[in-house]
Structures are given as C-alpha cells and as structure tokens.
Amino acid sequence: MTTRVLIVDDHPLFRQGLSMALGETEDLVVCGEGTCAQDAVDLSRDLQPDVVLLDLSMPGGGFAALEHIRACQPALRVAVLTASEDCDDVMKAMKLGARGYVLKGVGGNALIDAVRDIARGVGHVAPTLAAAILSGHNGAEGWFRTKEPDIGDPTSRRLAQLTPREAHVLKMVAAGFSNKEIARQGDMQEKTVKHHVTRILQKLQVRNRTEAAMVWRSAEPAG
C-alpha cells in the first residue's frame, strides 16, 4: 500500500528536500505541501492524507494546527517534525495527539522509517528525547500523570489487551527494572519475562522498552 504524506513547513528548501527523500521510496508519496497552520488544517481536510508532517514554528503555530486537526480528524496520524529538542514541546505535542516527534536533523533513512512507523500506527519519538522524558528531565514526569485513563482512548484500548501478568511486567519495565530483576521479583524465569516483553511490544505496537514505558506512563493515573 502507498502512504500519502502531507508536508507543512514554511521553509521551501526543507520541504523540497523532504519531498525528494520520501519520493525515492516505493511506498511513500507526497500528496501535498503547505506553509502555515491554515494550510495544514485545510489540506488535511481536503486531501485526506495518511500522515501529516507538521512543523512547529510555522506561521499560525504548529501546536494550534495539531490541536485543530486532531479535533476534526481524530483518526489522522500527525507527526511533529521540528528542530526543537525541548521536552516541554515533546510533551505538549503528545498531549495534543501527535503520533510522532521527529527531529529535523535526522537522516533520510531514519526519517523514512519514522514515517512508516507512524503510518502503521506505531508512535515514534526521537530516542534521545524519549530517554529524557522517562528520566523526568525538565519536569517531564509530570506530563505522564495528567489524567485518569479513558478506555475510549486508543492508548487505553491497547493497554486493555494486556493480560494481568503482562501489565505487571510492563509496570516493572516502566519503573526501570531489568528482565533479570523482574524475573527475580515475580518468581519467573528470565526467558519468560523476555517472552512477556515481546508480547507487550506487539500489543502496544511499539518498537522497544522505552516506548512501551512511555505508553504505560501516559495512561497512569495521578497519585
């Protein structure tokens, strides 16, 4: 299947380079380009892309565009593409429903992989930023405790697929325990823990332990 991508960024040379990079693949096609928040809203509605790559610092504001798009088209997968490495920006984007946070300095292949992940419904955050969030950098820990989980929310639906044992393992992973430590505390063999972790990644549609921990913490109630 071909994934249709909308690019919204106010820098023409950057848009051109990004469009060329995505155009070299067989499964990704750029269906439209915009330069401002209003373009993002209008083109998302008119073109119905599979993925929107949205700059944060464009005229009208990327956050405003993200909020409007998600409110009108909640199923549309929007990824922030920015130079900002501020954890507050990451948290705000995710809170508004972004499915990805990709840094502009990323290489072409990594960017293509990120777009493919987002198109498949797999959340993507630059690994260095994910690590900073999980370590509580810049007060990031607070974002993960903002609301009670809602079973109608996609994240909560994915978590609801976990068995009680898998949920326990994921909670331990989010707390920073290794497979060996989880096995010892849960009276399991380490290979059993590895099996649970593999199943957890599959059910949550994430690629690694860090992203799985982020899913858990994003739905963890306050207190």
Side-chain angles (χ1 to χ4, degrees):
M1 292 182 60
T2 299
T3 296
R4 301 171 69 250
V5 182
L6 169 64
I7 302 171
V8 187
D9 190 290
D10 61 331
H11 292 89
L13 290 179
F14 180 79
R15 288 200 316 273
Q16 182 181 12
L18 181 56
S19 181
M20 289 178 61
L22 297 180
E24 291 178 355
T25 68
E26 295 182 355
D27 57 319
L28 303 176
V29 59
V30 176
C31 66
E33 297 182 16
T35 63
C36 63
Q38 191 60 53
D39 284 348
V41 173
D42 293 342
L43 293 174
S44 294
R45 180 193 62 234
D46 296 341
L47 299 179
Q48 294 292 305
D50 301 301
V51 174
V52 179
L53 295 179
L54 193 66
D55 181 33
L56 283 187
S57 60
M58 63 187 175
F63 285 129
L66 171 60
E67 186 173 16
H68 191 102
I69 292 170
R70 291 289 298 164
C72 298
Q73 298 172 264
L76 181 55
R77 290 160 180 162
V78 183
V80 167
L81 184 61
T82 177
S84 172
E85 298 186 42
D86 189 330
C87 286
D88 290 338
D89 285 343
V90 182
M91 292 184 293
K92 185 173 182 179
M94 295 176 69
K95 194 172 182 179
L96 290 175
R99 294 295 298 156
Y101 195 97
V102 185
L103 296 177
K104 285 189 173 181
V106 71
N109 290 335
L111 173 62
I112 289 169
D113 288 341
V115 173
R116 286 171 174 158
D117 282 344
I118 293 161
R120 292 189 293 112
V122 179
H124 178 92
V125 177
T128 53
L129 296 179
I133 290 172
L134 292 180
S135 69
H137 182 68
N138 273 358
E141 182 68 20
W143 178 80
F144 293 107
R145 301 179 180 273
T146 57
K147 62 180 181 177
E148 294 287 340
D150 176 2
I151 196 63
D153 178 76
T155 296
S156 295
R157 288 201 298 269
R158 284 186 284 163
L159 287 170
Q161 299 178 58
L162 303 180
T163 66
R165 177 60 70 123
E166 289 169 348
H168 171 74
V169 169
L170 177 55
K171 184 176 182 179
M172 299 286 283
V173 168
F177 290 98
S178 67
N179 286 350
K180 190 172 185 178
E181 292 169 327
I182 296 171
R184 183 171 63 250
Q185 294 194 29
D187 193 24
M188 294 180 283
Q189 295 185 5
E190 188 173 352
K191 65 179 181 181
T192 301
V193 176
K194 290 180 180 180
H195 173 73
H196 284 314
V197 171
T198 298
R199 292 288 295 159
I200 289 167
L201 299 184
Q202 292 172 345
K203 290 182 178 182
L204 298 185
Q205 300 178 350
V206 296
R207 299 174 301 170
N208 52 52
R209 296 167 70 95
T210 298
E211 291 183 359
M214 291 175 64
V215 170
W216 174 266
R217 294 193 181 194
S218 69
E220 192 174 16

